[in-house]
Amino acid sequence: MSTTRASRPTRRGLLAMGGAVGLGAVLAACGGSDSKDTAGSGSKSADAGPWKFKDDRGQVAEAKSVPKNIVAFTGVAAALHDYGIEVKAVFGPTKTKDGKPDVQAGDLDISKVEILGNVWGEFNVEKYAALGPELLVTAMWEKDALWYVPDQSKDKILKLAPSVALWAAQTTIPKAIQRHEDLAASLGADVKSAKVTAAKARFEKAAARLRAAAKSKPEIKVMVGSASQDLFYVSLAKMSADTLYFQELGVKFVEPKVNAAGFFEELSWENVDKYGADIIMMDNRSSALQPEALTSKPTWAQLPAVKGGQVIPRTTEPIYSYDKCAPILEDLAKAIENAKKVA
């Protein structure tokens, strides 16, 4: 989906666009979820028998046996893959223009899954129906809104199979990982395997390292940004699952004067220097302009963090497994450990 503002996209559309750096922050006015109420309740075994799972909408998905023919949003499919659960088809950013896996595909072998849609608003309902789906799984940024499931065809899609939605906002990385693990376990994953246990240990070590780095350099301030051709977006850290968790670990963030929606501030490129930052985390999604595409913008080049070489990628939509989230924490910890005060 284009990053142009001319068409006045919906809030969900904005979240899908590269410019929407405050993923999940649009939920500020929505009610939060209670982890006790939304705790996953799935079958203890992947053997034959009734299966059910209570998702983050509070809805219970049920089937006569554990679903095997699963269709999922790409990022969720990538997380399930890390737990050993494979899907038949995906929807959402999966393949780049040059045919390579999108960053949101993680370790998925994209040649072995059916791609029902690769961009916002695209979902092939006919192909989905032909697959005989037993379960649809996706993320949720707004209450009851299924991520990358088009509103215009949602009713047709939801009639074909049970669905599960997991929060990607109003949560933190550890809580989101736990919910994805709950779902994987209900589908038959061995969440106590050596691979998963090792990944969790690495994640916990990375969290401790980030906490220590933030404590040792409290003067370092981080700005969370995303670029489009016309605008630079600065997000409010507490409104996204990843950056909220980083804040809990002690990382200091720039606090923009957000717009009415409450999750980011839009800056023209002439005003991109409004906030001082020592490190800039840039939206790494394929829908956003990457730093190498910004060299022609003189105001960008003059930012202290840019001149100081302290610009790092931000995994705006994390793949919620310990395996994929541990490196995110490690990279930010390393950046803070090596950062100089430049702002």
Side-chain angles (χ1 to χ4, degrees):
M1 187 173 180
S2 167
T3 54
T4 179
R5 300 284 293 177
S7 60
R8 292 186 179 278
T10 63
R11 292 188 299 175
R12 290 182 68 211
L14 269 175
L15 290 173
M17 292 155 52
V21 298
L23 283 171
V26 69
L27 299 165
C30 300
S33 62
D34 188 324
S35 59
K36 293 181 180 179
D37 290 341
T38 58
S41 56
S43 61
K44 295 182 179 180
S45 169
D47 297 333
W51 172 88
K52 64 179 180 178
F53 184 87
K54 188 175 182 181
D55 75 357
D56 291 350
R57 294 171 296 179
Q59 296 185 14
V60 178
E62 297 184 75
K64 293 181 179 179
S65 61
V66 176
K68 299 294 183 184
N69 206 10
I70 304 167
V71 176
F73 170 68
T74 303
V76 177
L80 291 175
H81 170 83
D82 287 349
Y83 286 103
I85 302 298
E86 304 299 340
V87 304
K88 297 292 185 181
V90 296
F91 55 95
T94 306
K95 184 185 296 186
T96 61
K97 292 180 180 179
D98 58 5
K100 296 180 180 179
D102 189 273
V103 293
Q104 295 188 58
D107 292 334
L108 283 178
D109 185 342
I110 64 173
S111 69
K112 294 183 178 180
V113 293
E114 184 82 39
I115 300 175
L116 302 178
N118 198 54
V119 297
W120 183 257
E122 184 179 88
F123 192 113
N124 192 314
V125 182
E126 290 73 21
K127 283 186 177 180
Y128 177 62
L131 289 169
E134 296 174 336
L135 179 65
L136 177 80
V137 189
T138 191
M140 182 170 64
W141 294 95
E142 296 180 86
K143 180 64 174 174
D144 297 330
L146 303 184
W147 194 230
Y148 273 82
V149 175
D151 288 335
Q152 64 270 26
S153 54
K154 179 180 67 175
D155 291 343
K156 291 181 180 179
I157 293 168
L158 294 182
K159 287 180 181 178
L160 296 171
S163 63
V164 165
L166 300 178
W167 273 121
Q170 290 200 9
T171 188
T172 61
I173 287 178
K175 293 177 182 178
I177 291 175
Q178 184 61 58
R179 292 297 288 140
H180 285 70
E181 186 172 286
D182 290 342
L183 176 61
S186 81
L187 295 170
D190 179 4
V191 298
K192 302 298 182 182
S193 70
K195 178 183 177 182
V196 173
T197 301
K200 183 176 182 178
R202 180 184 175 187
F203 177 86
E204 292 172 345
K205 183 178 180 181
R209 178 183 174 185
L210 180 54
R211 187 188 297 276
K215 185 177 181 179
S216 68
K217 291 192 173 181
E219 74 280 5
I220 297 298
K221 186 162 285 190
V222 180
M223 180 163 67
V224 182
S226 184
S228 69
Q229 190 59 45
D230 299 320
L231 295 170
F232 184 79
Y233 302 80
V234 182
S235 73
L236 188 61
K238 70 179 183 178
M239 304 305 261
S240 295
D242 59 334
T243 45
L244 172 59
Y245 183 52
F246 303 154
Q247 276 191 319
E248 290 180 352
L249 293 175
V251 178
K252 303 296 192 301
F253 285 95
V254 165
E255 296 190 5
K257 296 180 179 179
V258 296
N259 60 20
F263 53 96
F264 63 77
E265 179 177 2
E266 302 161 315
L267 299 177
S268 66
W269 283 105
E270 290 77 12
N271 296 316
V272 74
D273 60 351
K274 179 176 180 179
Y275 299 105
D278 305 293
I279 296 173
I280 301 177
M281 299 178 69
M282 289 293 287
D283 186 347
N284 75 336
R285 293 175 298 171
S286 54
S287 53
L289 293 182
Q290 300 305 303
E292 57 268 21
L294 303 177
T295 55
S296 63
K297 297 186 180 296
T299 50
W300 166 259
Q302 292 304 308
L303 292 176
V306 177
K307 293 172 70 174
Q310 297 180 170
V311 177
I312 63 173
R314 177 203 178 192
T315 303
T316 306
E317 293 188 51
I319 294 168
Y320 288 115
S321 68
Y322 290 114
D323 183 71
K324 294 300 180 293
C325 288
I328 296 174
L329 273 62
E330 292 168 348
D331 290 345
L332 181 55
K334 181 179 180 181
I336 294 175
E337 290 165 353
N338 296 332
K340 297 180 180 179
K341 184 67 181 174
V342 295

